[in-house]
Each structure stands twice: as structure tokens, then as C-alpha cells.
Amino acid sequence: MTTAKAYGLREESSNGSSSGSSSPNGSMLDSAGVNDNASCNTEVRSRSPSVIVRTGGSVFRHRRDLPWGIRLIQKFSDWWGGSPNAADREFWYRVSILVITYLSYTAYHLSRKPISIVKNVLNRNCSLLPPPSTMTNDTTWCDWAPFDREDADVLLGTLDSAFLFAYAAGMFVSGFVAERVNLRYFLSLGMLLSGLFTYLFGVARFRNIHNLSYFILVQALGGIFQTTGWPGVVTVVGNWFGKGKRGLIFGIWNSHTSLGNILGSVIATAYVDDNWGLSFIVPGAIIGGMGFIVFLFLVPKPQHVHCPIPDHGSSNDGSNNDLKNSGSSSSSGQRNNRAKRNKYGQANSYMDDESSDDTSRLLGSDDIYDPREDTPIIAHYDPEVKIKAVGFTEALKIPGVVEFSLCLFFAKLVSYTFLYWLPRYINNSTKFDATESGYLSTLFDVGGIIGGIVAGVISDYSGMSATTCAGMLCFAIPMMLVYQNYGAESLLASIILLIVVGILVNGPYALITTAVSTELGTHPCLMGNARALATVTAIIDGTGSIGAAVGPLLAGSVAAISKEAGWKYVFLMLMIADVIALILLVRLVSNEFKRFFETRHAARLKVTVHVHTDPNNPHQEV
């Protein structure tokens, strides 16, 4: 009995004919619109879109597995002038992945920023404002209860912490979930719910809500659903892009963080004085709309549309050539012959038979669970089938994960303290009002865009990620002191110093959360298997997010100690945090320099063997 008969499917004859649909020339179309040769073997066509079909040694997915927007584009492309060639298809898919993930995480950060701008109107100095028409002796008439108390800074810090602690806790879970679900559903659902809770915070202005518990609950739930963003987008980009020039690619791509902060600040500032509720509602609508776009157009993995899998092997060690070859191939025909299937009938990584039998010292060689569109958001439990996903302990064994995670704890503590408190610091330490402080604070994020790109380029050129981070941290410490002392002297000084501090503070943060996380998630010890990518990303960013939660909480409490010296203590705290981050990188920096000098020494001692002929034996080479 043939395979088709065993599953009750229709069989195709060797010339490609069948009772099912086929293209006019008798060849079947794969999910990406590529024609298979009519002489291919073992063609099987399923009536169900949930069955994966092997045709000519390749594993294809039914066209209905593709996002609706991609299917519409393919139909339009076929109608307009036929499908593009494989190279063009791959190029445009990669471009679309970069654009969609870039805009997605821009929307995530755009929806986080309003709270830092709105703080200045929830609690402010009412004596500087024209009094209402009805005279009042209340000195807090312009504040929004419950933030009209003396401990307003502490309460506002509590709002930040509710969001960030929920974000940090959820991040560790989010990475594990991201490995087991369709990332298109994961991201789109997370964005819609994030937009909902951003919207609910703004609704308090229209519904006249003054309950502190309401604000804390909305912030906490919003933080949980915001955790869908980072593991999701980093994993998708890691699936599509290999190791070459990763620092530069991620340095440019990671500017979405700063761009989102800038746009969020601009949008929130536009409404903050007249109606601060719209400062939340508009960003909430934007991230919700972007979630719908993700649902329509995002393709999480290249193999879903028959594109080559990128090389995740080490680019620095020639011994990893086999690993590189097993991670990708130069032609679809080679990939077709390597396709393997797991217990679910799904395709494993495109690896040759010899490489697929290898095992990692950290991970087993069991089947890889590869979720698809028609896979449920949470997979059904099957006691007879064990899914070997990367565990927390196994991910921690990857060299560098612990050091970079702890370093990011303190680096992100500094970055997020600026993110949530910089507008209020500018408002308190200068003569700028809430609107002007909001616009001026965006310069810190402009520096962040430059810093991420600079850090990525230096890391790519030198191959020394830890050293790049350490160098920027060394300069960030004194520059924060300079900004604290001279930033309020003039507008020009404030602009220049904010950009410089943004470069130095956000550079290491951007590099660790992007290129370093992806490099560790595809470490050579994983034998080219990127199963750990979402988990490693979640561990590193989750640890950093705890620091991000601690920083704003401490900043609010420390600033409240003294109105005269409170902000000096805040900057002292930030400088100490960067010193600790620098110390945590000492071992990695030492190892990088050791490898650097060993490589240079080996290059100098390299002896060129001159082949000459022995006159007594002209056929013997010496």
C-alpha cells in the first residue's frame, strides 16, 4: 500500500496528473508558487491544508498556510507577470521581515513612552500656572488625584515598577512560549492586547478615574503583554538572517527602540497639556493597527516559503565549515534532498544526513517542534510525544549568557531610568515646561540610534562584543557626571550632552539585546540548531528588564529624598550601576583580548612553505 493510500489521499501518477488541481503544464505548485518538475517522485497531495506534503524530496506547505496578505501579493504577482526568481523572492522576503519587525517593535516602544511624558501633568507645580476662574486655596488644584500628594514621585515610580516588574517576570515565560507557537499569532495577539491596555490608561482621563489600583493594574497587565515583542521579533529576524555583519544589521535594525521612544514622546507631548488621555489612546491605536499588519504579512521562518535557511555557524573558525553547510545550502535542490521530518510529519532543519545525527553537548538531537499557522496557539499535549525544547538551565550553560545577562541588568537600569524620568528631570532642573521637556528628551533617543549603529559596526569590525560594550561604558560614566553638572547651563549644552550620553548609554544596551543575544542563541555549541534563540533572548532581556524595573523605582524614591540634592543622588546611582556592569564584563573582555593577541601572534609566526624540487629526485617535493 502506498503512502497516499495509507492516509486516504489521492495518488498522482508519474507524469504529474491527478484528480486534484494542477497547473496547466501538469506540474503542481508549491506554497511559494514554484513549479515542481513533472518527473519528481512520491508526489502526494492532501485534501487537508494541515498536512505537509513531500514533493520531489522537498517539504512544502499548503498555500493556505501563508498569511493572507502574502497570498494576496502572490496572486497579484502571478496576474501581473509571473512569480519572481528565487533570489528576488528571498531578497524581498528578507526586506519585508526587516521592515515589519522594525515597525512592530517601534510600535511597542511608542506605546511605552507616554507615561514618562504625562508624569509632568499628573503632578506639577500649580503655582506656575494661571489659577482657575473660581479662586481656590488648594495648591494641588492642577494635579490628577491620586498623584496630588507629597509622595507623588514615589507613586509615579510605583506605576513604572508595576509595568516593568510585570514585564521582567513575563519575559522569562514569553521566551519559552515563543518557541512553541506560531510567531505571527504570538506577535499580533500581543500587540493587540498591549494596545488595549495602553488605551485603558488613557480612558481614565475621560472617565474621571482616580483609583491608584486601577492605574497599577493596567500598567502591570500592559507590561505582561509587552513581553511578546522582543523574543518574537528577535527570533523572526534570527530565523531569516545569518551571522555575517550581524552587528551592523542589528545595530541599524535596533534603532526601532529609540525611534519608538522619539515618536511616542512626540505624540504624547502633542496632547499632554490639552488632553493627556489622548497621549495614551493614540499610541494604543497605532500598536493595535500594527498588530493587524503583522497578522496579514509576517512570515516567521524562511522554510515556510521555501527560502534558504541562513548560516548560523561561527564565522571565525574554519572548523565550523560543516556546521555552516548543514545550516544552509546554495541551491533549493540541495535543500530538498536534506529535508527531514519529525514525529509530527513536519520538516526539521535542512541538514545533511551526517550532520543531522550529531548531538550538541547542551541539547539532544530529538525532533524539533515547528509550529505553523494551523497549529494551535498552545500545542495539544501528547503523552507519547516528548518535545525537547531548550530549558532554562541548558540555556544558562551557553558561554557568555550569565555575564551578558547580569551586565544588561545594570545597563538597562541606567537606560530605563533615563527613559522614564528624563522629561521630569529636565522639567525640574530647567525652566522648560512639560511640552518643551518632552521634546528635548527625545535627543537622548537620537543618540541611542547612533549608539546602536556605532556599537554594531565596531563589534563587526573587531569581533569583540564585550570589549565594545566595556569601552562605551567607560566613557558613559564620566559623561553622565558632566551632563548632571552642565546640562542645565544652556540649551546648546543640553542638546549636545544629551546626544552624547544617549550614544554611550544605549550603545551597550542595544548591542547586548540584539547581536549578542542572537549570537549566543545560535552559539556553535548548539550545532547550528537555533532552538535556544527565543529562550536566550528572554533570559538576557528578562534579566535586563528586572534592572529596568529597579532603576525607575529607585529613581523616584531617591529623588524624593531631597528637592535640592535628590537628582544628584540619582545620577550617582546610575554611575555606580555602570561601574558594576563594567566589572561584570572583565572576564569576557580578558578572553577577547587573549584571543586577539593569540591570533596576531599566530599570524606573525606563520611560515610560508616554499615548495622546491630536489635535483636528485625531480619528482619529490620537499
Side-chain angles (χ1 to χ4, degrees), residues 218-479:
V218 167
Q219 282 287 87
L221 293 175
I224 291 174
F225 290 110
Q226 283 269 339
T227 62
T228 58
W230 194 241
V233 297
V234 169
T235 303
V236 170
V237 174
N239 289 340
W240 278 90
F241 291 88
K243 191 177 177 66
K245 299 297 181 185
R246 181 176 282 167
L248 175 60
I249 291 173
F250 276 118
I252 297 172
W253 177 76
N254 193 60
S255 63
H256 52 44
T257 298
S258 297
L259 180 62
N261 293 338
I262 292 171
L263 294 178
S265 297
V266 170
I267 293 172
T269 301
Y271 301 105
V272 67
D273 285 324
D274 297 329
N275 190 339
W276 60 261
L278 293 176
S279 297
F280 291 92
I281 292 175
V282 173
I286 291 174
I287 188 174
M290 192 61 215
F292 185 65
I293 293 175
V294 167
F295 177 77
L296 289 179
F297 295 102
L298 183 68
V299 180
K301 294 184 178 181
Q303 56 265 44
H304 289 180
V305 287
H306 196 50
C307 286
I309 300 176
D311 171 27
H312 292 298
S314 174
S315 61
N316 299 325
D317 189 353
S319 63
N320 291 324
N321 288 337
D322 293 338
L323 180 62
K324 292 181 182 180
N325 293 334
S326 68
S328 63
S329 61
S330 59
S331 68
S332 60
Q334 289 173 326
R335 293 192 311 274
N336 293 345
N337 293 329
R338 293 180 193 161
K340 290 192 175 286
R341 304 172 72 80
N342 60 15
K343 295 175 184 177
Y344 299 89
Q346 294 174 313
N348 285 345
S349 301
Y350 291 102
M351 307 174 77
D352 57 24
D353 295 338
E354 188 174 318
S355 298
S356 64
D357 293 333
D358 293 336
T359 56
S360 168
R361 66 182 179 89
L362 298 179
L363 304 173
S365 59
D366 294 347
D367 298 321
I368 302 170
Y369 179 58
D370 185 13
R372 304 162 38 224
E373 177 177 332
D374 50 11
T375 302
I377 292 292
I378 299 297
H380 296 292
Y381 174 72
D382 186 347
E384 297 182 358
V385 179
K386 295 182 180 180
I387 301 172
K388 286 294 185 70
V390 178
F392 187 87
T393 305
E394 288 80 2
L396 288 177
K397 293 178 183 178
I398 300 173
V401 168
V402 173
E403 289 92 338
F404 276 118
S405 297
L406 295 176
C407 175
L408 187 62
F409 175 94
F410 294 99
K412 209 166 180 179
L413 181 153
V414 176
S415 180
Y416 268 64
T417 300
F418 274 99
L419 174 68
Y420 281 94
W421 285 98
L422 182 58
R424 188 161 180 82
Y425 168 73
I426 294 173
N427 182 249
N428 289 347
S429 62
T430 66
K431 297 180 180 180
F432 297 120
D433 60 21
T435 300
E436 294 168 337
S437 298
Y439 285 129
L440 187 60
S441 68
T442 61
L443 294 173
F444 176 80
D445 295 298
V446 172
I449 295 175
I450 301 172
I453 296 174
V454 170
V457 171
I458 295 174
S459 176
D460 273 341
Y461 179 78
S462 64
M464 303 168 71
S465 300
T467 304
T468 302
C469 293
M472 299 187 83
L473 289 171
C474 285
F475 287 104
I477 296 167
M479 285 308 302

Side-chain angles (χ1 to χ4, degrees), residues 143-195:
D143 297 334
W144 187 267
F147 308 106
D148 56 350
R149 295 154 37 181
E150 289 292 330
D151 60 345
D153 283 341
V154 176
L155 296 181
L156 292 171
T158 302
L159 287 187
D160 296 338
S161 298
F163 176 93
L164 292 169
F165 275 115
Y167 181 89
M171 182 61 70
F172 291 102
V173 178
S174 182
F176 294 104
V177 175
E179 288 184 343
R180 294 164 170 82
V181 301
N182 185 303
L183 290 174
R184 182 163 66 92
Y185 287 152
F186 184 69
L187 282 169
S188 57
L189 181 62
M191 295 177 78
L192 289 171
L193 292 174
S194 295

Side-chain angles (χ1 to χ4, degrees), residues 425 429-430 432 440 481-495 497-498:
Y425 168 73
S429 62
T430 66
F432 297 120
L440 187 60
L481 181 62
V482 172
Y483 172 69
Q484 190 266 321
N485 288 323
Y486 301 103
E489 294 293 328
S490 67
L491 178 60
L492 179 61
S494 182
I495 291 172
L497 291 174
L498 275 174

